[in-house]
Amino acid sequence: MPISRLELRGFRNYERLEVFPGVELTVFVGPNAAGKTNVIESIQLVTAARSFRRPRWEELVRWGSQAARISMESETDDTRLMVSLDITPEGRRTYRVNGQVKRRVTDVAGRLPSITFTPDDLELVKGASERRRAAIDDLGEQLSRNYAAVRRDYLKVVRQRNVLLRDGAARTIVAPWDDQLVSLGTKLTIHRAGLYRKIAPHLVRTYAELASGEQLGTEYLDKLAMEPGAWEAEPVAEEVAAAFRERLNAREAEERARQATLVGPHRDDILFAIEGKDARAYGSQGQLRTIALAWKLAEVRVVEEVARRKPVLLLDDVMSELDASRRAALTDVVRRDVQTFVTTTNPGYFDEALLAGATVVELPR
C-alpha cells in the first residue's frame, strides 16, 4: 500500500510542498539545510505517528504560518488511506484518518507501518540502553495498539513511583504502585521479549549476509534475574511477575537510597556479540554500523511477517555514512518492492539503473 501523494503546508521550512512519490524509490536531493530531513520527519509523523527528532510540537509550524498540515494518501487497487496531521502554533495536534478525527496516536500509528533509519541509529550498539529499548518499543507500537498502551501506562507508573520515592513516602503508600508496576511491567516485558524473538533471527541472518559469514550473537538482558535462556521461548506471566516481585523486594532499600525505580523493563538492555566478543567493547566502526543496518532490515522483515504488508522505508542521509557494500544492501531492499524515501546530497551513491527508475525531487536551499 504505497504512498501516492504527500503534501506539506506551513510545516518546518515549507510554505507548500507537494510530492507524488514513486512506487519503489523516491530520492530527495539537495544541499545541507534544504529541508530534506523535514520531509522524512513528515512522513514518519503520518505513518508511525511520532518523530525521531522528539520535537516540541510548536517547532513544527513554519514561522509566520497560522498552522502546519501534513497530508498523506496511500492506495492500492481496492483500498485508499488518507492521513492528515494539523498542528497549531501552540502545539496542539489533530490527526484525521479518512476524514475522521482520531484522539489517540495509537489510532494512527501503523495504519501504514514505516521503518526510519537516520545517522543517529548508527549508534544503536554503543549508545545508551534506552536507544535499544526504543528500537523494539517504537516498532511494537506500530504493530500493536495494546503494546503502545501497556508501554505508556507502565512508564506513567514508573514516573509516579519515582516521585513517591523522592518524597520518602511510606511503604503503605508505595505498595499499590508496586502492584501496578509488577502487573504492567510483566505485560511489557512479555510483549517486548516476544518482539525481540521475532527480530533476532532476521538480525543474525542479515548480519552474516552483510559481513561475509561473520557470526553475530544477541541476547535480551532483563533486570529480573530470570534463568539463562528464559526468553528463548514465550515466558509464563506468573513466573515473570514472581521474579519481578522478588527482585523489587530485594532492592527496596537501594531504591529508597537512590530515590528511583531500579527494577523493571525500563532498565533492560540488548547485548550484541561478534564471534563471541562483546560488540560494544571490541567491535570496529564498520561492524557496529553493520549491526545497525542489519537491525533495520530485520525490522522490515518483521513488519512483513506480522502486519502482512510491506512497510515504508525512510532513510535520512545515511548513504554518506555507509560504505559501498552497505549501500548496496539497502539498495537491495528497494529492489524487493519496499517503497523507500531517501535524502541525499549526492545521487551518485545510487546505482544508475535504479536511479533511472526512481522519482527524484530536487530541493533548493
Side-chain angles (χ1 to χ4, degrees), residues 56-272:
R56 294 170 56 189
W57 295 109
E58 59 268 24
E59 296 173 352
L60 304 183
V61 181
R62 185 175 184 266
W63 182 258
S65 296
Q66 294 184 349
R69 165 168 267 228
I70 308 167
S71 303
M72 179 270 287
E73 297 178 20
S74 176
E75 56 188 316
T76 58
D77 292 338
D78 57 355
T79 305
R80 189 179 187 190
L81 173 68
M82 295 182 292
V83 180
S84 66
L85 170 61
D86 293 295
I87 309 169
T88 69
E90 295 75 34
R92 291 194 299 272
R93 292 169 291 158
T94 303
Y95 273 105
R96 290 180 174 82
V97 176
N98 294 333
Q100 294 186 342
V101 173
K102 298 298 179 182
R103 302 296 180 186
R104 298 174 298 183
V105 294
T106 53
D107 293 330
V108 179
R111 292 292 185 109
L112 177 60
S114 64
I115 304 300
T116 304
F117 192 20
T118 75
D120 285 345
D121 290 315
L122 295 170
E123 291 293 312
L124 176 69
V125 182
K126 297 199 74 170
S129 59
E130 181 182 4
R131 183 184 297 276
R132 289 178 287 282
R133 292 192 296 270
I136 293 184
D137 292 345
D138 290 344
L139 177 62
E141 290 196 357
Q142 291 193 75
L143 296 174
S144 168
R145 294 185 188 181
N146 190 41
Y147 193 121
V150 169
R151 182 193 189 190
R152 180 187 65 244
D153 292 345
Y154 172 77
L155 293 177
K156 285 181 180 178
V157 170
V158 171
R159 288 193 294 269
Q160 181 58 42
R161 191 172 182 274
N162 286 345
V163 170
L164 295 175
L165 291 173
R166 287 195 296 271
D167 291 345
R171 187 173 187 178
T172 53
I173 295 177
V174 178
W177 294 95
D178 290 353
D179 295 339
Q180 293 189 56
L181 188 78
V182 171
S183 176
L184 290 167
T186 296
K187 293 176 183 177
L188 179 57
T189 298
I190 291 175
H191 275 311
R192 188 190 288 161
L195 186 52
Y196 168 81
R197 288 196 303 275
K198 289 181 172 63
I199 293 173
H202 292 296
L203 170 66
V204 171
R205 185 162 47 250
T206 303
Y207 182 88
E209 293 171 355
L210 296 175
S212 302
E214 190 173 65
Q215 294 301 302
L216 176 70
T218 178
E219 179 184 356
Y220 186 86
L221 183 65
D222 71 272
K223 298 298 184 182
L224 303 182
M226 297 286 286
E227 293 295 326
W231 305 110
E232 293 178 6
E234 184 173 353
V236 178
E238 289 77 10
E239 294 178 357
V240 176
F244 202 143
R245 178 73 67 177
E246 181 180 349
R247 195 69 172 163
L248 200 61
N249 291 337
R251 302 191 70 180
E252 180 184 3
E254 185 181 0
E255 286 191 330
R256 287 192 171 276
R258 296 175 59 178
Q259 300 180 340
T261 302
L262 305 177
V263 180
H266 66 291
R267 311 284 291 193
D268 290 356
D269 203 351
I270 299 169
L271 302 182
F272 303 101

